[in-house]
Amino acid sequence: MSDTQVVVVTGASGGIGRAVARAFGARRARVALLARGERGLAAAAADVERGGGTALAIPTDVADFGAVDAAAERAEKELGPIDVWVNVAFTSVFAPFEDIGPDEFRRVTEVSYLGYVHGTMAALNRMKPRDRGTVVQVGSALAYRGIPLQSAYCGAKHAIQGFNESLRCELLHEGSHVRTTMVQMPAVNTPQFSWVLSRLPDHAQPVPPIYQPEVAARAVLYATDHPRRREYWVGGSTAGTLIANAVAPGILDRYLAKTGFKAQQTGSPKPADQPANLWAPADRDTDFGAHGEFDAKSTPRSLQLWASRHHGLLAAGGSALAATALAVWRRARS
């Protein structure tokens, strides 16, 4: 094998996972694509190949550790030693907590939280003996700040946050060269709002501002290249939400109680035939792609992400400006 990067992406058939797979394909990486929907997986593989990469589509339910571990084994056998593992796969239920059944809550947890645990286990079982590799956990502002109508999803994201912090401490204690980092995402225009099980009266939507999946993918690739940082925040809304939650969580509780229900619905009735991917993939026979239905409301860039990636440069520039201002002030006084 050459030194071309070998990458595994879970949830690769749609949304952020699909955009991440495309981005690695454009780097000519060897990309193993894990998801349940065969039509979506086939289309994602074609995207990777079109970009110049090598694709291996492996239908996998990440809630099943045996299936995830077998997928990792196949990826190494056919593509080479895994350099990067990106956990993205999730499912959810849009509904008040009292309208979610215990089996549904369990399923969301098994996919959206334990799926990350399973992927990380499979990756570390192979990376740690080699003492190299990177695991990227695709998180959310909701890993810190719960919102109404998404209790199962928020619970899973909070769990990933705690699990990843614990793991990172252990790797640091061991002096391991395997890295893990987490990328906290804002609202993203993905197909989830058309295929997640919803008991809302109106069509679900991401809470504006909304970012395109390519913004998320750029953040994931940057985190892959710079995994020493413990986490990355993507989008001004993510930064603002996390800061507000740290400073005044009680006020945010009341604000979301007033606005969170309406903000997550378009005002138009949900389609009667809308699929639900909780128990079976929505993209088994249909390719939904990376983008959802909100292109007109979404932005393809994030100034905050640029600033986050160039914080060293900005700090140096700020220091230089401060030094210049001080010098001018001193000359003026003299």
Side-chain angles (χ1 to χ4, degrees), residues 161-215:
Q161 179 69 23
F163 146 69
N164 190 63
E165 287 177 346
S166 179
L167 172 62
R168 186 171 187 272
C169 292
E170 292 176 9
L171 292 173
L172 289 170
H173 172 77
E174 296 167 6
S176 175
H177 291 98
V178 176
R179 309 295 180 192
T180 181
T181 186
M182 194 163 177
V183 185
Q184 311 295 13
M185 297 296 180
V188 181
N189 176 33
T190 72
Q192 68 155 305
F193 302 95
S194 300
W195 72 18
V196 165
L197 174 60
S198 175
R199 295 199 172 96
L200 305 180
D202 291 339
H203 196 302
Q205 69 170 4
V207 179
I210 308 168
Y211 295 84
Q212 293 289 25
E214 289 75 20
V215 175

Side-chain angles (χ1 to χ4, degrees), residues 29 49 57 65 92 95 116 124 180 218 220 241 273-274 304 333:
E49 299 278 355
F65 174 71
S92 189
Y116 277 52
L124 263 59
T180 181
R218 289 195 294 272
V220 169
T241 297
D273 60 349
Q274 177 172 311
Q304 181 276 335
R333 283 179 57 87

Side-chain angles (χ1 to χ4, degrees), residues 94-132:
F94 287 120
F97 172 70
E98 63 183 11
D99 293 337
I100 304 173
D103 55 337
E104 295 169 340
F105 215 103
R106 183 181 302 107
R107 175 64 178 168
V108 172
T109 304
E110 288 172 349
V111 174
S112 302
Y113 168 47
L114 292 181
Y116 277 52
V117 173
H118 296 161
T120 304
M121 282 181 173
L124 263 59
N125 285 344
R126 291 156 178 84
M127 292 176 177
K128 287 188 71 175
R130 298 190 287 260
D131 198 30
R132 62 180 177 84

Side-chain angles (χ1 to χ4, degrees), residues 5 24 27 83-86 124 127 131-137 164-165 167-169 171-172 176-183 218-232 308-309 311:
Q5 203 169 42
F24 276 113
R27 285 187 169 188
D83 299 299
V84 178
W85 188 292
V86 185
L124 263 59
M127 292 176 177
D131 198 30
R132 62 180 177 84
T134 297
V135 178
V136 180
Q137 320 284 15
N164 190 63
E165 287 177 346
L167 172 62
R168 186 171 187 272
C169 292
L171 292 173
L172 289 170
S176 175
H177 291 98
V178 176
R179 309 295 180 192
T180 181
T181 186
M182 194 163 177
V183 185
R218 289 195 294 272
V220 169
L221 264 66
Y222 188 81
T224 298
D225 296 337
H226 304 84
R228 288 181 177 272
R229 194 191 300 188
R230 69 191 305 273
E231 70 177 18
Y232 291 85
S308 178
R309 292 170 57 175
H311 64 283

Side-chain angles (χ1 to χ4, degrees), residues 205-287:
Q205 69 170 4
V207 179
I210 308 168
Y211 295 84
Q212 293 289 25
E214 289 75 20
V215 175
R218 289 195 294 272
V220 169
L221 264 66
Y222 188 81
T224 298
D225 296 337
H226 304 84
R228 288 181 177 272
R229 194 191 300 188
R230 69 191 305 273
E231 70 177 18
Y232 291 85
W233 296 356
V234 181
S237 56
T238 297
T241 297
L242 300 192
I243 291 169
N245 192 61
V247 174
I251 293 176
L252 206 50
D253 289 343
R254 290 170 175 78
Y255 172 77
L256 289 168
K258 290 181 178 180
T259 66
F261 282 68
K262 184 177 180 180
Q264 294 185 78
Q265 299 180 74
T266 63
S268 300
K270 169 183 77 195
D273 60 349
Q274 177 172 311
N277 79 336
L278 184 64
W279 302 107
D283 55 353
R284 173 177 292 163
D285 302 312
T286 302
D287 174 33

